[in-house]
Amino acid sequence: MPKVRFLPLRPLALASLVANVALVVTGAAVRLTGSGLGCPTWPRCTDESYTTTSEMGVHGVIEFGNRLLTFALGIIAVACVIAALLERPRRRSRVLLSVAVLLYIPLQAVIGGITVLTNLNPWVVGLHFLVSIVIIAFAYALWRRAGEGDGLPVRLVPAPLRHLAWILTTVSASVIALGVVVTGSGPHAGDLDAKRNGLDPATVSQAHADVVFLLVGLTLAMIFALQAVKAPRATVRAAIVLLAVELAQGLIGFVQYFTHLPVLLVGAHMLGSALVWTSTLAVLWSLRARPLEPAEPPVEPATLSPAAAEPVPAPR
């Protein structure tokens, strides 16, 4: 059956991925500018208005702008679902991934509302960020799956390296989760009256740094192991890119810690966390491939009848 695409799913999936990374950055801007309660209630911005007012100043504009981005994410997600449903032949995995992205966006909005209603409770704020990380994972998977064929998956590296990649992914997620805890103990609460989680910033920062060192070590091991088994260039390149992003992120993290967390560096570090996560997912996805078309079944050689198999006598 010929393939018919009514809407370009892969560009839409990429737009969804980029927009969700942008939401991380705008969310960081809300916190770092002290605009976490720029709209002091939810779902309205004020008790009387769904939009920001001039009396609320720049903080209201920043918080309301971040809320508007959620609607843009929802529109893109709906477009992805429609594109996946209209594909012929329809791929079940693409439909499910697009629906997962769509369902998580209202959940993200509700958690964002709870953060406002709880006066920026640091644990709820952290959950708000972690849901973005989950959405990014689904959006990235949709983008990669939309560019693959319909053949059976082909494993490009031995099983031990695939296991190492899953360990690497788990540690990468742990680094992000610990970073959330570090943020909840620091000075950037999103509002002057917002509470902190009460943990010692130096202690949780050290724990975060320790897991970062583990992540870098695992990435180096992955690079050497991939080269040892002569893995495809794209797979090795994905691991090298991950290492470069990790080192850049680590440098930003150390500089921001010793310079007392300037807002620009903290914002860059938030963006870096999303880039580390997507680079980790790139390594995981580079260990497999799907041919563009399903493999053709082998053609059995024709079976000759006994009579046909007899030799033909030579002409006299």
Side-chain angles (χ1 to χ4, degrees):
M1 181 183 296
K3 297 179 180 179
V4 179
R5 295 190 177 185
F6 296 88
L7 287 175
L9 177 58
R10 195 157 200 252
L12 286 172
L14 179 60
S16 178
L17 174 62
V18 172
N20 278 286
V21 172
L23 184 66
V24 171
V25 177
T26 59
V30 170
R31 292 175 56 81
L32 296 172
T33 58
S35 304
L37 296 178
C39 288
T41 188
W42 187 89
R44 296 187 178 188
C45 194
T46 69
D47 292 333
E48 295 80 21
S49 173
Y50 282 97
T51 62
T52 184
T53 62
S54 57
E55 292 80 7
M56 300 169 69
V58 67
H59 293 310
V61 172
I62 294 173
E63 166 64 8
F64 184 68
N66 187 58
R67 293 188 183 189
L68 284 180
L69 183 57
T70 301
F71 289 99
L73 293 178
I75 293 172
I76 297 172
V78 169
C80 286
V81 173
I82 295 173
L85 289 172
L86 292 179
E87 278 193 321
R88 295 293 182 271
R90 182 181 299 165
R91 285 79 166 184
R92 182 170 177 268
S93 61
R94 299 180 189 180
V95 174
L96 291 177
L97 287 170
S98 62
V99 169
V101 173
L102 177 61
L103 292 179
Y104 265 93
I105 289 174
L107 173 64
Q108 173 77 305
V110 170
I111 296 174
I114 295 173
T115 63
V116 173
L117 298 177
T118 58
N119 293 320
L120 307 181
N121 180 290
W123 300 108
V124 181
V125 172
L127 178 62
H128 191 45
F129 174 77
L130 292 178
V131 170
S132 286
I133 295 300
V134 174
I135 299 175
I136 288 171
F138 281 124
Y140 185 88
L142 177 61
W143 175 63
R144 290 296 295 258
R145 188 67 188 91
E148 293 181 330
D150 298 323
L152 294 175
V154 177
R155 308 297 183 185
L156 303 178
V157 299
L161 281 184
R162 298 198 298 271
H163 298 159
L164 177 59
W166 279 108
I167 294 172
L168 180 70
T169 304
T170 302
V171 173
S172 181
S174 301
V175 167
I176 293 172
L178 279 172
V180 169
V181 177
V182 173
T183 302
S185 68
H188 298 298
D191 187 80
L192 292 177
D193 297 326
K195 295 181 180 180
R196 303 283 70 206
N197 59 27
L199 300 176
D200 177 52
T203 302
V204 293
S205 295
Q206 183 60 56
H208 177 61
D210 291 341
V211 183
V212 168
F213 285 128
L214 175 60
L215 178 62
V216 172
L218 288 172
T219 306
L220 283 170
M222 174 65 77
I223 293 172
F224 288 128
L226 290 173
Q227 292 176 332
V229 301
K230 301 186 184 305
R233 287 185 179 180
T235 306
V236 178
R237 183 167 58 248
I240 293 174
V241 169
L242 172 60
L243 178 63
V245 174
E246 289 169 353
L247 293 177
Q249 175 75 333
L251 178 62
I252 294 173
F254 277 110
V255 173
Q256 72 168 5
Y257 181 80
F258 290 108
T259 55
H260 308 292
L261 304 176
V263 293
L264 289 179
L265 285 181
V266 174
H269 200 57
M270 294 287 288
L271 172 61
S273 65
L275 297 180
V276 168
W277 182 232
T278 53
S279 299
T280 302
L281 297 173
V283 172
L284 193 62
W285 277 82
S286 71
L287 304 182
R288 58 186 285 284
R290 279 182 182 265
L292 292 178
E293 299 291 345
E296 295 290 340
V299 178
E300 296 292 338
T303 303
L304 298 178
S305 65
E310 295 178 359
V312 179
R316 295 181 179 178

